[in-house]
Amino acid sequence: MILWIILIPLLGAAFNGLLFASGLWKKVLKGDEHTEKRIVSLVGCGVVLVSALISTALFTKLLSMEPGQRRIIQELFVWIPSGSFTVSFDFLFDTLSCIMALVVTWIGFLIHVYSTGYMHDDRAYAKYFMYLNIFIFFMLVLVLGNSFPLMFVGWEGVGLASYLLIGFWYENPDNADAGRKAFVVNRIGDFGFLLGIFLIFYVFGSVGYQEVFGKALDPVFMSGVPAAVITAIALLLFVGAVGKSAQIPLYVWLPDAMAGPTPVSALIHAATMVTAGAYMVARCSAIFSQSATAQMVVVTVAVLTSFLAATIALTQNDIKKVLAYSTISQLGYMFMGIGVGAYTAGLFHLVTHAFFKALLFLGSGSVIHALSGEQDIRHMGGLRKYIPTTAITFLIGTLAIAGVPLLSGFFSKDGILGQVYDRGYALHWLLALITVVLTAVYMVRLYLLTFEGKTRMTEEVKHHVHESPFSMTIPLMILAVLSIFGGYLGVPEFMGELVGIHGSNLFDKFVSPAILLDNFVSTGHHLLDHETLLILSIAAAATGIVIAYYLYSVKPGTADKIAADRNIEPLYNLSYNKWYVDELYDYIIVQPFRYLSNLAAWFDTKFIDGAVNGVANILREAALTLQAAQTGVLRSYATLMAVGALAILVFIVLWQKF
């Protein structure tokens, strides 16, 4: 059964790719594009739906098992036999991979359905769905593989598929550059991940999950492993996660990934690729929990990433760019939870984030679709009366990500903040709390400038504004419902007691058996109790909402005046220009490497190729000279032979004499 979850999307990709993307059936259908797109849509969406249904069936099977036994392994064959070293081609369906499979397939299915409307007029419709199915296939390989090499296959496959999807409209050079940037930056992280796998094999003698994690939890075995080595393994794995999940310093690819179609942005940002790093670190909890240094690095990088991305999102005007930096910031929250050892809290935010971020990205796509491609929020405004369904659902997503009480983002984000504080990271908690304020500010700003106030659209654009078709709005409605109620699956225990929800934190109880070690160590007495932390978190979100509402609704134009203040303008420019990180990378990395590449090319051309070509030229000239002696006259040949013989004779005589 597990194998079919993975294979069915691949079969869909093969069907659409071989029969339609290749143009094979164009003659059969006699140019009937409508029929062709209907078949492509049914196959492309249907295969992901089947995978989702099978994942759901296996989920129910896990529920019927005892909590400690919730694991299904499908062994297929020995993949790499090499003496005592073997790697099996096995798939694992436990409570952790189950959650990931459900998120990938069900959210992926909604995005596929949405794409049927958004991409309907694209000439490469079949190719697009082929790429989407390939992406889902590799993502499922990543989360269901039962060994590090198999995870790495999915890891690299997702990178390849994302390159194809981000650069889907490659006719535009900027889109092609964005695809290449994502590919190259991710390769940096992947190199660290691969080194981590090599070191795991060196230390543990295996790359299978059960063998590695079993030894990592064995005190006798670990007593013989230096702490520095475990830290090195954890940090190398984290480098891979930093690249894939867009954390400092490898986050720069993700905002540029907005060059792809909006459903691709939703797929990459919400439910799949960017969460792979968080999943990998959580899967390796037995390793990360052995190194306090590695955990400190993870949580520090996470909180700095979250804060930095939030400050950039404050001033961006591209609707998708705001959401892109929002994704980077929210990924930081996931790694905060995972970094402090609260793995289930971080994973629960991964799930809720999939709901509201997919909703927000698809909502932005609906806006762009309605405005015929416009993405600048300065040219929007007042859209609520034109596209009410999109506006209402987008507002729900905005409030969820802002952390408004009783919505999904409130439970998951506040659960992480509480864990960060409880586990002794008070300064990290404070910076994360400030980020909550910033999140509410930039998200409410985005909603108000897009849907409320006076319209700033041109008359031509206003004339063509329309609500999206049902194929696009129905996924929005479903995701809106999940964004409202999804958080009740994982209400933290202390919150459940406060709001009267009994039997809370179902998510934690389900997933925790797959988390092999949770090293929670209480730091003792804290200045703030859970109730106070909750109040402060709610107050932070409310503060951000009030600030944004005042600046962009009550007193519109005030924000521009503040930005123009000579004391504030330098900070505004830093934020607007994304802290000049891309320019810095270009100056210290891209340009020097480009110079070295040009220097190497010059040396290769002038010296290496010059030497080879010089020898060839000498031989050619010698051949041409000797060619002149080939006259075909016998007398000339006899004369030359006589001269040669005489020269040899003279040489011998002189040699003997001297």
Side-chain angles (χ1 to χ4, degrees):
M1 290 278 291
I2 303 175
L3 182 62
W4 286 110
I5 298 175
I6 301 169
L7 281 184
I8 288 175
L10 182 62
L11 294 175
F15 180 87
N16 282 333
L18 294 175
L19 297 181
F20 292 103
S22 65
L24 186 63
W25 273 27
K26 287 191 179 293
K27 294 182 179 180
V28 178
L29 297 175
K30 298 179 180 179
D32 187 354
E33 292 187 4
H34 180 69
T35 301
E36 178 181 336
K37 288 182 177 180
R38 286 186 63 183
I39 297 173
V40 169
S41 301
L42 287 171
V43 173
C45 298
V47 293
V48 182
L49 176 61
V50 172
S51 288
L53 292 173
I54 298 174
S55 300
T56 305
L58 290 179
F59 165 66
T60 60
K61 186 175 181 179
L62 290 182
L63 289 177
S64 65
M65 301 177 179
E66 293 294 325
Q69 305 297 321
R70 288 172 176 170
R71 174 182 298 175
I72 304 171
I73 298 177
Q74 185 172 2
E75 299 178 356
L76 297 176
F77 55 87
V78 177
W79 180 23
I80 306 176
S82 180
S84 60
F85 173 68
T86 60
V87 178
S88 298
F89 203 88
D90 300 344
F91 293 105
L92 171 66
F93 198 88
D94 62 356
T95 53
L96 177 54
S97 58
C98 169
I99 293 297
M100 292 298 298
L102 289 173
V103 170
V104 169
T105 54
W106 281 113
I107 301 297
F109 169 67
L110 293 175
I111 293 171
H112 276 67
V113 173
Y114 180 94
S115 296
T116 61
Y118 191 88
M119 299 294 292
H120 185 267
D121 297 326
D122 196 279
R123 58 185 178 84
Y125 190 80
K127 185 170 70 172
Y128 171 81
F129 274 92
M130 178 184 70
Y131 289 168
L132 280 188
N133 286 165
I134 290 174
F135 189 99
I136 296 293
F137 162 73
F138 279 118
M139 193 66 204
L140 290 170
V141 171
L142 191 159
V143 300
L144 295 176
N146 194 28
S147 66
F148 285 100
L150 200 51
M151 176 191 279
F152 191 74
V153 169
W155 193 274
E156 291 297 291
V158 167
L160 173 62
S162 67
Y163 165 75
L164 296 173
L165 287 168
I166 293 169
F168 185 75
W169 291 322
Y170 60 87
E171 295 89 351
N172 185 332
D174 291 339
N175 296 347
D177 289 342
R180 283 193 292 269
K181 185 177 182 179
F183 190 81
V184 171
V185 174
N186 271 274
R187 297 295 74 72
I188 299 172
D190 296 350
F191 183 67
F193 185 25
L194 191 60
L195 290 178
I197 295 174
F198 289 154
L199 195 54
I200 285 173
F201 173 68
Y202 176 78
V203 173
F204 297 99
S206 176
V207 288
Y209 291 160
Q210 280 71 40
E211 297 85 355
V212 172
F213 300 149
K215 291 181 179 179
L217 295 175
D218 184 357
V220 177
F221 179 87
M222 293 303 296
S223 63
V225 181
V229 175
I230 293 298
T231 298
I233 292 174
L235 291 179
L236 286 170
L237 294 177
F238 182 58
V239 169
V242 164
K244 196 68 74 181
S245 295
Q247 300 292 284
I248 291 175
L250 301 180
Y251 71 90
V252 292
W253 69 269
L254 194 57
D256 289 351
M258 298 300 97
T262 300
V264 171
S265 303
L267 190 65
I268 292 176
H269 285 243
T272 52
M273 181 175 169
V274 296
T275 61
Y279 164 77
M280 183 265 286
V281 175
R283 174 62 75 186
C284 299
S285 59
I287 293 175
F288 279 85
S289 296
Q290 303 288 337
S291 173
T293 301
Q295 289 188 304
M296 175 59 76
V297 170
V298 172
V299 71
T300 302
V301 169
V303 73
L304 291 176
T305 300
S306 186
F307 177 76
L308 178 69
T311 62
I312 296 174
L314 285 171
T315 58
Q316 302 306 302
N317 297 313
D318 186 307
I319 187 171
K320 291 175 66 176
K321 285 290 180 69
V322 176
L323 296 177
Y325 283 103
S326 168
T327 296
I328 298 171
S329 184
Q330 296 304 307
L331 287 167
Y333 277 101
M334 297 177 204
F335 280 101
M336 281 184 229
I338 292 171
V340 301
Y343 298 101
T344 55
L347 290 170
F348 184 55
H349 193 59
L350 183 155
V351 174
T352 61
H353 177 262
F355 299 154
F356 56 71
K357 186 51 60 70
L359 170 61
L360 290 168
F361 264 113
L362 296 185
S364 71
S366 183
V367 171
I368 296 168
H369 182 268
L371 299 181
S372 303
E374 180 61 68
Q375 295 185 198
D376 195 326
I377 59 177
R378 293 172 297 184
H379 301 155
M380 299 179 187
L383 285 176
R384 179 166 56 88
K385 62 183 178 182
Y386 296 98
I387 46 175
T389 302
T390 300
I392 294 170
T393 54
F394 198 95
L395 177 61
I396 291 171
T398 298
L399 297 177
I401 194 174
V404 170
L406 305 184
L407 298 183
S408 61
F410 166 75
F411 294 114
S412 59
K413 189 183 295 184
D414 284 28
I416 290 173
L417 290 174
Q419 296 280 12
V420 170
Y421 184 84
D422 275 352
R423 303 188 183 205
Y425 295 86
L427 291 178
H428 296 76
W429 167 82
L430 181 60
L431 191 56
L433 191 66
I434 296 172
T435 306
V436 171
V437 179
L438 299 179
T439 301
V441 171
Y442 70 70
M443 285 306 307
V444 175
R445 167 185 179 263
L446 178 63
Y447 172 79
L448 292 174
L449 292 181
T450 303
F451 296 100
E452 302 295 342
K454 295 181 180 180
T455 180
R456 298 175 297 279
M457 299 178 289
T458 64
E459 289 299 322
E460 182 180 357
V461 172
K462 191 186 300 184
H463 180 71
H464 295 287
V465 175
H466 58 282
E467 185 63 272
S468 299
F470 284 126
S471 60
M472 296 172 64
T473 55
I474 289 177
L476 293 179
M477 295 180 214
I478 295 173
L479 290 167
V481 172
L482 292 172
S483 298
I484 296 172
F485 299 107
Y488 291 92
L489 297 172
V491 180
E493 294 291 348
F494 76 93
M495 288 190 193
E497 296 172 359
L498 292 175
V499 299
I501 301 175
H502 302 288
S504 58
N505 216 346
L506 299 175
F507 182 89
D508 182 87
K509 293 174 182 176
F510 178 74
V511 177
S512 55
I515 305 299
L516 300 178
L517 184 64
D518 189 335
N519 69 331
F520 172 62
V521 178
S522 177
T523 57
H525 179 70
H526 298 290
L527 294 175
L528 305 175
D529 56 22
H530 288 156
E531 291 80 3
T532 304
L533 292 174
L534 187 62
I535 292 171
L536 288 173
S537 182
I538 295 173
T543 300
I545 293 172
V546 170
I547 291 173
Y549 186 75
Y550 178 82
L551 292 177
Y552 298 99
S553 184
V554 178
K555 295 287 185 180
T558 305
D560 294 332
K561 294 178 182 178
I562 295 173
D565 184 273
R566 66 179 182 177
N567 296 318
I568 303 297
E569 189 178 11
L571 291 175
Y572 175 84
N573 289 334
L574 276 176
S575 172
Y576 182 76
N577 292 287
K578 304 158 226 165
W579 293 84
Y580 298 99
V581 173
D582 282 291
E583 289 80 2
L584 180 64
Y585 283 0
D586 183 71
Y587 182 75
I588 66 175
I589 297 176
V590 177
Q591 291 187 24
F593 270 91
R594 184 176 291 155
Y595 174 79
L596 291 174
S597 298
N598 292 333
L599 182 63
W602 176 83
F603 182 81
D604 180 66
T605 302
K606 298 297 183 181
F607 289 89
I608 306 300
D609 288 350
V612 174
N613 294 333
V615 172
N617 290 332
I618 291 171
L619 293 175
R620 184 180 63 185
E621 293 299 325
L624 291 173
T625 302
L626 293 174
Q627 183 182 11
Q630 305 299 316
T631 63
V633 180
L634 228 64
R635 282 195 313 268
S636 299
Y637 296 159
T639 302
L640 289 173
M641 292 174 65
V643 172
L646 181 61
I648 293 172
L649 182 60
V650 171
F651 175 79
I652 293 173
V653 171
L654 293 174
W655 178 266
Q656 290 179 345
K657 185 175 182 179
F658 295 102

